[in-house]
Amino acid sequence: MSRVRTLTAVEDPLVRLVCFPHSGGSATAFRGWAAALPPGAELVAVQYPGRGDRFAGPLVDDVAETAGRAVAELIRLPSLDQVLFGHGLGALVAYETAMLLRAVGREPLRLCVSACLPPGHLKDLDVHPTLRSDLRAHARYRPGAGTTPLACPLTCYHGAGDPLVDGKRMTGWAGVTSGAFTPGVRPGGHIHVPTDVAGLVSDVLDREAR
């Protein structure tokens, strides 16, 4: 079954926004973003195994494997400039996806990460016992040996008052790219993504133009 869900139908799109859900989340978490897209933007989201319409599938507790499966489908889509956005666990999957896309000559236009410590910073596997598979993937993930920084700009979003993620530690994301690093703080705490969706989508897609 396909791992990438197209959430909008756009004729001749100019840019593709690829979204990666949080721990325990599914592709439908981004369905509400469709109404906020500017003309010419296509929205797709990755559906993890064991989620949504893939609920019957086995869980995968490996970030690199999840990203690899997503990339196998993304590279079969028409070639477009792509912006990647990942929240929580999805931030690590989006980062790994960006590196895999770079390896095939399709590094994204920009990477956006949200509510997630940089790779290798999460140690506590008991934060959410009901999400052990996702938390295990998060805690165990390390970039491959010899990994070099991306070149694309990276924007890092932190929800003000987030009790799970220390905003000061998120500046560590600056080290994964040689491109511009832009930190941002949004209202809404850890689950800030549904807050001012139009503003977030505009920022994710338009920052390069400003």
Side-chain angles (χ1 to χ4, degrees):
M1 180 179 288
S2 173
R3 298 170 181 88
V4 175
R5 303 289 180 268
T6 300
L7 302 181
T8 58
V10 181
E11 276 194 49
D12 301 319
L14 302 175
V15 64
R16 177 180 298 122
L17 174 55
V18 186
C19 295
F20 299 81
H22 58 280
S23 297
S26 71
T28 58
F30 297 100
R31 186 175 292 163
W33 287 33
L37 293 176
E42 177 182 78
L43 177 65
V44 304
V46 174
Q47 187 78 294
Y48 304 147
R51 306 288 186 269
D53 54 5
R54 299 187 67 204
F55 183 77
L59 295 173
V60 174
D61 59 3
D62 185 275
V63 166
E65 182 178 348
T66 300
R69 292 180 180 184
V71 168
E73 295 192 18
L74 289 172
I75 61 176
R76 291 200 293 266
L77 298 177
S79 182
L80 288 175
D81 283 337
Q82 298 188 120
V83 175
L84 310 187
F85 176 92
H87 183 75
L89 172 67
L92 295 181
V93 183
Y95 166 58
E96 180 70 19
T97 296
M99 293 194 295
L100 294 175
L101 287 172
R102 176 183 63 180
V104 295
R106 293 178 63 174
E107 184 166 343
L109 186 67
R110 190 152 61 93
L111 172 64
C112 300
V113 297
S114 167
C116 178
L117 294 175
H121 283 236
L122 181 68
K123 305 298 182 185
D124 185 0
L125 288 177
D126 296 320
V127 178
H128 294 295
T130 61
L131 301 177
R132 286 196 185 103
S133 178
D134 286 353
L135 267 293
R136 185 161 54 242
H138 194 152
R140 290 179 175 177
Y141 174 69
R142 301 291 185 277
T147 296
T148 58
L150 295 164
C152 63
L154 187 150
T155 301
C156 183
Y157 296 102
H158 176 65
D162 186 342
L164 302 180
V165 179
D166 181 353
K168 294 178 181 177
R169 296 173 66 191
M170 291 183 72
T171 57
W173 278 104
V176 308
T177 185
S178 62
F181 173 74
T182 307
V185 179
R186 305 187 74 246
H190 187 67
I191 310 296
H192 68 84
V193 171
T195 302
D196 185 19
V197 168
L200 178 56
V201 171
S202 177
D203 193 72
V204 165
L205 289 177
D206 292 347
R207 186 183 293 274
E208 282 294 299
R210 293 202 295 268

